[in-house]
Amino acid sequence: QHVLCEKLPAINANEAYEISSAARAKGVFSQSFPVWTRFFPLITDLQHFIHIEKTIGDVHRVFCDFSLAMDMPSLLRYAMYDVTRLKDPALGAGALLDIGIYSLTYGYLILDPNIGTRAASRTIQSSMTIVDGIDHMDTIILNYPDQRSTAILTASLNNRTPEAFCRTEGSKGVIVISGYAALNPARLVISKPSEEDVIKDYSKLGIGFYFKADAVALDLAAGRTESEVMPLDKTIRIIKTINELRKAHGVKYPQDT
């Protein structure tokens, strides 16, 4: 059976390897995207502007934040923000696995879209505010020495991200992304010295899950067993980075034993 799973399919890298190995052995499509947002047209355009057109030149810095005050009464009305899930380690509790994954994803897709032997060398530093063994606030710094570029990525369960949640600074200009939050970007603005801002608004029906579903349908129709946008190895890279961050701060889940 083909499987499509939203966000992280596993708590740790061992589980992710087990899933991907089984799917490849059976020759079935098992796609577990860390973030459905990767399939938004805005994200496709963002990567084109940065990596193909080099619209803002060499990228120097990326700032991205995804924070939600998870105890806000307005959030409790939505099943996707079940706060009990965010407090249960067996369910991957904490800011990093739930929303920090989005900030981390923006950092990677902007600074280094490649994987395997093509991936750029990077270092990583981080801090976490931990309450009862669960991370409530995270700060991640991805540094790419050879590119001379850095991403400062944050997440919090205690605050609310401003509408403009991601800023990418380059040698020739700046790109700012805004929307409800990092999971649902809606506007991209390119600012360059002595030029009028380029503003692109992206309307859609609903919240946009169908972008991912459509992409998977096309993959299946073409006989592919992995997504061209988000192959399994990219999913595993994200999970390995999260493992690295959790280990550095002693955040453990029952599945880690």
Side-chain angles (χ1 to χ4, degrees), residues 160-166 176-182 186-187:
R160 179 75 170 87
T161 304
E163 186 174 356
F165 62 83
C166 183
V176 174
I177 305 172
S178 58
Y180 170 75
R187 169 174 283 197

Side-chain angles (χ1 to χ4, degrees), residues 140-193:
I140 304 165
I141 301 176
L142 292 178
N143 184 43
Y144 290 85
D146 294 340
Q147 300 175 185
R148 298 180 181 179
S149 59
T150 299
I152 301 172
L153 315 168
T154 54
S156 173
L157 302 180
N158 302 327
N159 306 97
R160 179 75 170 87
T161 304
E163 186 174 356
F165 62 83
C166 183
R167 176 182 175 89
T168 302
E169 300 175 350
S171 58
K172 297 181 180 179
V174 173
I175 295 177
V176 174
I177 305 172
S178 58
Y180 170 75
L183 84 172
N184 209 342
R187 169 174 283 197
L188 183 153
V189 178
I190 303 171
S191 300
K192 302 175 74 173

Side-chain angles (χ1 to χ4, degrees), residues 85-192:
R85 170 176 57 82
L86 298 173
K87 298 177 180 179
D88 186 349
L91 299 178
L96 183 58
L97 265 67
D98 192 70
I99 56 179
I101 176 64
Y102 289 92
S103 300
L104 186 59
T105 295
Y106 276 92
Y108 272 132
L109 67 85
I110 292 172
L111 291 185
D112 183 23
N114 300 312
I115 56 174
T117 57
R118 297 176 58 203
S121 176
R122 58 92 173 145
T123 62
I124 188 167
Q125 296 173 293
S126 62
S127 68
M128 288 185 177
T129 298
I130 300 172
V131 180
D132 297 328
I134 296 169
D135 61 298
H136 281 223
M137 291 187 290
D138 306 320
T139 299
I140 304 165
I141 301 176
L142 292 178
N143 184 43
Y144 290 85
D146 294 340
Q147 300 175 185
R148 298 180 181 179
S149 59
T150 299
I152 301 172
L153 315 168
T154 54
S156 173
L157 302 180
N158 302 327
N159 306 97
R160 179 75 170 87
T161 304
E163 186 174 356
F165 62 83
C166 183
R167 176 182 175 89
T168 302
E169 300 175 350
S171 58
K172 297 181 180 179
V174 173
I175 295 177
V176 174
I177 305 172
S178 58
Y180 170 75
L183 84 172
N184 209 342
R187 169 174 283 197
L188 183 153
V189 178
I190 303 171
S191 300
K192 302 175 74 173

Side-chain angles (χ1 to χ4, degrees), residues 4-242:
L4 171 60
C5 176
E6 164 51 18
K7 207 156 30 180
L8 288 175
I11 293 294
N12 55 45
N14 289 337
E15 291 184 342
Y17 278 123
E18 185 176 351
I19 293 170
S20 62
S21 297
R24 285 166 172 164
K26 296 292 185 180
V28 296
F29 190 100
S30 176
Q31 192 54 67
S32 306
F33 305 119
V35 185
W36 51 291
T37 311
R38 274 185 176 268
F39 295 83
F40 279 34
L42 184 152
I43 298 300
T44 301
D45 286 351
L46 172 67
Q47 293 185 93
H48 184 81
F49 289 140
I50 290 175
H51 301 297
I52 306 300
E53 291 189 2
K54 306 286 186 180
T55 304
I56 60 170
D58 296 328
V59 174
H60 294 158
R61 295 194 300 178
V62 178
F63 300 91
C64 186
D65 177 68
F66 188 2
S67 299
L68 289 173
M70 289 300 188
D71 289 327
M72 287 171 54
S74 60
L75 290 178
L76 301 182
R77 294 197 298 266
Y78 298 93
M80 66 185 296
Y81 294 124
D82 178 4
V83 294
T84 58
R85 170 176 57 82
L86 298 173
K87 298 177 180 179
D88 186 349
L91 299 178
L96 183 58
L97 265 67
D98 192 70
I99 56 179
I101 176 64
Y102 289 92
S103 300
L104 186 59
T105 295
Y106 276 92
Y108 272 132
L109 67 85
I110 292 172
L111 291 185
D112 183 23
N114 300 312
I115 56 174
T117 57
R118 297 176 58 203
S121 176
R122 58 92 173 145
T123 62
I124 188 167
Q125 296 173 293
S126 62
S127 68
M128 288 185 177
T129 298
I130 300 172
V131 180
D132 297 328
I134 296 169
D135 61 298
H136 281 223
M137 291 187 290
D138 306 320
T139 299
I140 304 165
I141 301 176
L142 292 178
N143 184 43
Y144 290 85
D146 294 340
Q147 300 175 185
R148 298 180 181 179
S149 59
T150 299
I152 301 172
L153 315 168
T154 54
S156 173
L157 302 180
N158 302 327
N159 306 97
R160 179 75 170 87
T161 304
E163 186 174 356
F165 62 83
C166 183
R167 176 182 175 89
T168 302
E169 300 175 350
S171 58
K172 297 181 180 179
V174 173
I175 295 177
V176 174
I177 305 172
S178 58
Y180 170 75
L183 84 172
N184 209 342
R187 169 174 283 197
L188 183 153
V189 178
I190 303 171
S191 300
K192 302 175 74 173
S194 304
E195 295 185 20
E196 186 175 345
D197 286 356
V198 175
I199 301 174
K200 293 178 65 69
D201 290 309
Y202 297 79
S203 60
K204 58 186 177 297
L205 298 174
I207 60 175
F209 278 115
Y210 56 86
F211 293 125
K212 177 177 67 175
D214 288 348
V216 171
L218 291 173
D219 285 330
L220 292 174
R224 290 188 286 268
T225 56
E226 291 190 29
S227 166
E228 291 186 323
V229 174
M230 192 66 190
L232 289 170
D233 286 341
K234 281 192 176 182
T235 298
I236 291 172
R237 176 177 73 166
I238 292 283
I239 296 176
K240 288 176 68 176
T241 299
I242 288 175

